[in-house]
Coordinates of all heavy atoms in Angstrom, one line a residue:
A22 N 96.0 96.4 124.1 CA 96.5 95.6 125.3 C 98.0 95.5 125.3 O 98.6 95.4 126.3 CB 95.9 94.2 125.2
T23 N 98.6 95.6 124.1 CA 100.1 95.6 124.1 C 100.7 96.8 124.7 O 101.9 96.8 125.1 CB 100.5 95.5 122.6 OG1 100.0 94.2 122.1 CG2 102.0 95.5 122.4
G24 N 100.0 97.9 124.7 CA 100.5 99.2 125.3 C 100.7 100.2 124.3 O 101.2 101.3 124.6
R240 N 115.0 105.6 121.4 CA 114.0 106.5 120.9 C 113.9 107.9 121.6 O 113.5 108.9 120.9 CB 112.6 105.9 120.9 CG 112.0 105.6 122.3 CD 110.8 104.7 122.2 NE 110.1 104.5 123.5 CZ 110.5 103.5 124.3 NH1 111.5 102.8 124.1 NH2 109.8 103.4 125.5
G281 N 107.3 90.5 121.7 CA 107.8 90.5 123.0 C 108.8 91.6 123.2 O 108.9 92.3 124.3
A282 N 109.6 91.9 122.2 CA 110.6 92.9 122.2 C 110.0 94.3 122.4 O 110.4 95.2 123.1 CB 111.5 92.9 121.0
L283 N 108.9 94.5 121.6 CA 108.1 95.7 121.7 C 107.5 95.9 123.1 O 107.6 97.0 123.7 CB 107.0 95.8 120.7 CG 106.1 97.0 120.7 CD1 106.9 98.2 120.3 CD2 104.9 96.8 119.8
R284 N 106.9 94.9 123.6 CA 106.3 94.9 125.0 C 107.3 95.3 126.0 O 107.1 96.1 126.9 CB 105.7 93.6 125.3 CG 104.3 93.3 124.7 CD 103.6 92.3 125.6 NE 102.3 91.9 124.9 CZ 102.2 90.7 124.3 NH1 103.2 89.9 124.2 NH2 101.1 90.4 123.8
S285 N 108.5 94.7 126.0 CA 109.5 95.0 126.9 C 110.0 96.4 126.9 O 110.2 97.1 127.9 CB 110.7 94.0 126.7 OG 110.4 92.7 126.9
A286 N 110.1 96.9 125.6 CA 110.5 98.3 125.5 C 109.5 99.3 126.0 O 109.8 100.3 126.7 CB 110.7 98.6 124.0
L287 N 108.2 99.0 125.8 CA 107.1 99.8 126.3 C 107.0 99.8 127.8 O 106.8 100.8 128.5 CB 105.8 99.4 125.7 CG 105.7 99.6 124.2 CD1 104.3 99.1 123.7 CD2 105.8 101.1 123.8
K288 N 107.2 98.6 128.4 CA 107.2 98.5 129.9 C 108.4 99.3 130.5 O 108.2 99.9 131.5 CB 107.3 97.1 130.3 CG 106.0 96.3 130.0 CD 106.2 94.8 130.5 CE 104.9 94.0 130.2 NZ 105.1 92.6 130.5
G289 N 109.5 99.3 129.8 CA 110.7 100.0 130.3 C 110.6 101.5 130.2 O 111.3 102.2 130.8
K290 N 109.6 101.9 129.2 CA 109.5 103.4 128.9 C 110.8 104.0 128.6 O 111.0 105.2 128.9 CB 108.8 104.1 130.1 CG 107.4 103.6 130.5 CD 106.4 103.9 129.4 CE 105.0 103.4 129.7 NZ 104.0 103.7 128.6

Side-chain angles (χ1 to χ4, degrees):
T23 299
R240 66 190 184 277
L283 177 70
R284 279 204 190 103
S285 296
L287 294 177
K288 287 179 181 177
K290 297 293 183 182

